[in-house]
Amino acid sequence: MRAPVLLLLTLLSCQAAERPNIVFLFSDDHALQAISAYGGRFKDIAPTPNIDRLAKQGAVFERSYCANSICGPSRACVLTGKHSHKNGFIDNENCRFDGSQPTFPKYLQQAGYQTAIIGKWHLITNPTGFNHWEILPGQGNYYNPDFLRMDGTKTRVEGYCTDIITDKALAWLKNRRIKDKPFVLMCQHKAPHRNWVPAERHYNLFDGQDLPEPPTLFDDYAGRSAALARQQMTIAKDFMWGHDMLLHGKPTDPRFLGGQNGEYARMNPAQKTAFDKAYQKENQQLLADLAAGKLDDKALTRWKYQRYIKNYLRCIRAVDESVGRVLDYLDESGLAKNTIVIYSADQGFYLGEHGWYDKRWMFEESLAMPFLIRWPGVVNPGVRSKVLIQNIDYAPTFLEAAGLAIPADIQGRSLVPILQNEGNAPADWRKGIYYFYSGENTHRVAAHAGVRNDRYKLFFLPKSNEWQLFDLEQDPQELRSLHEDPASAAVLAEMKKLYQTLRVQYEVK
Ligand code: SGN
Ligand code: CA
């Protein structure tokens, strides 16, 4: 071989060896309020020590937002680095992901990365751009879940979903990838998505405790659009007896909707026995209290909240353990030093705030996405950033981290300069983030689109032709819209300008 060619090859292989691996740990509906690194009311009761390891060893982004607060759309934004109107996946009800479009796994694969995705996908069409994939069909199941595989087969795996996804992710890392190539592993959990069925070992966590309620559990929606009261995602009225509350049989009280717990139906006899043993005592007490007329509306909403939040946090315990297992393996194998690890979730969630569960609204709890990142040698431990970031920024970040150019049609911006600079943004960073939600039938949340800057949030509801404006500094719980407040007229005008500017910039039609 001629010397210059040899030199080039040596240079290329050195470069390849230095390119960082990416482990993308992603869950479904994990609210910031339920991650102790972000603080919040469950910090001491339900800590997340393993997710917190990333915070201690890396950076936490405190103003991290999605572009469209539901599953498929958020995932499409992550993969493409583009807003929903550009990647085509605007809602969960009518869309199929166009797998022929460019995505960050495709770009990285073309550049020599090994790429794998294991777990929840939820984009209808099969994954493209992956050397290996094994996904849950649709939403997937907590117990004895089915997996779709690359060869077109579907297999049912006995056990608990979060643990199985972790086992499969670790098996790929240990045995299946080509070891001399850099890799991207996307390990994507179903948990803690509805209907919140915990692992057997966590059924009795928090038993006998009263978990703290949010101050807005009984929000009356005064001072804001009437659309807020018209959704169908309240703890008080929209929980199903079996599906959400995990009770058996038919409701014995009209204040519950019907609907069976499909996860129980999937369990094997031993799993059913363990489940029944865990919930029996509390269930019997509820039935007795309902029969005796002991629970007025407020007391029943409080009971529902406790049942919901405990199961939600129990599901998160398994996710946190999964993160711990992956981090341990990266440490033991020596991969940790050249691997970027991210923890995020497709959107936030209401944990009783405004009386709600679910997401979709542009209020902070569901607009926010967790974003924690560890990158040894680049991100200093313990960084906390207040820069406005979005899920469209992930793809360009991964491309830049891998030394690739960022295609001009990607709408997000790479976070690498922020990561290299203690969480501080470059001078020309965005002044606000753009948000869009199409208004699905599920849960009846009205369509809206808006912007958020460092202090204010503005959104427009086309159906009722109204604006909503919130001052997040003065009113962090977003209880009073200022759109008709004469003293806020200048802010309203400024935020409308930002809204128009971002719509032009992102080519919203
Ligand atoms: C299901 C849930 C909804 C949830 C959507 C979207 N109902 O329809 O509560 O809002 O998914 O969630 S359930 O009865 O199936 O649990 S998403 O995370 O996929 O966007
Ligand atoms: Ca979700």
Side-chain angles (χ1 to χ4, degrees), residues 143 160 163 198-207 278-279 310-311 313-319 321:
Y143 272 82
Y160 187 65
D163 300 340
E200 217 170 289
R201 63 187 180 281
H202 299 140
Y203 282 149
N204 295 105
L205 275 177
F206 319 118
D207 270 5
Y279 288 95
K310 286 179 186 177
N311 283 332
L313 294 170
R314 287 165 182 150
C315 288
I316 286 169
R317 182 61 59 95
V319 172
E321 289 172 357

Side-chain angles (χ1 to χ4, degrees), residues 91-198:
D91 65 43
N92 271 350
E93 288 179 345
N94 307 299
C95 298
R96 295 166 64 80
F97 186 69
D98 170 8
S100 70
Q101 65 186 306
T103 59
F104 85 81
K106 279 190 194 171
Y107 286 125
L108 292 177
Q109 191 185 41
Q110 282 155 16
Y113 271 70
Q114 286 271 292
T115 57
I117 181 160
I118 291 155
K120 187 169 173 187
W121 169 250
H122 205 204
L123 288 168
I124 319 296
T125 52
N126 283 343
T128 53
F130 294 95
N131 296 90
H132 177 76
W133 58 261
E134 233 176 322
I135 57 168
L136 301 171
Q139 294 283 4
N141 285 101
Y142 277 107
Y143 272 82
N144 310 327
D146 292 321
F147 283 84
L148 298 175
R149 300 192 298 202
M150 299 179 77
D151 62 7
T153 58
K154 187 163 106 173
T155 46
R156 183 172 160 132
V157 184
E158 202 80 353
Y160 187 65
C161 192
T162 307
D163 300 340
I164 298 167
I165 289 171
T166 314
D167 293 343
K168 287 183 181 294
L170 289 174
W172 184 80
L173 273 180
K174 288 177 188 169
N175 311 319
R176 299 194 62 161
R177 69 192 167 89
I178 299 170
K179 297 241 160 107
D180 59 359
K181 288 191 170 195
F183 66 84
V184 181
L185 169 65
M186 302 177 81
C187 172
Q188 308 204 150
H189 294 290
K190 168 189 175 62
H193 191 276
R194 195 179 179 195
N195 65 332
W196 314 296
V197 185

Side-chain angles (χ1 to χ4, degrees), residues 28-29 70-71 92 120 122 139 193-194 243 346-347 358-360 442-443:
D28 197 350
D29 297 359
I70 34 169
C71 181
N92 271 350
K120 187 169 173 187
H122 205 204
Q139 294 283 4
H193 191 276
R194 195 179 179 195
H243 182 58
D346 59 351
Q347 20 38 227
D358 216 70
K359 51 258 179 180
R360 302 158 192 279
T442 316
H443 297 297

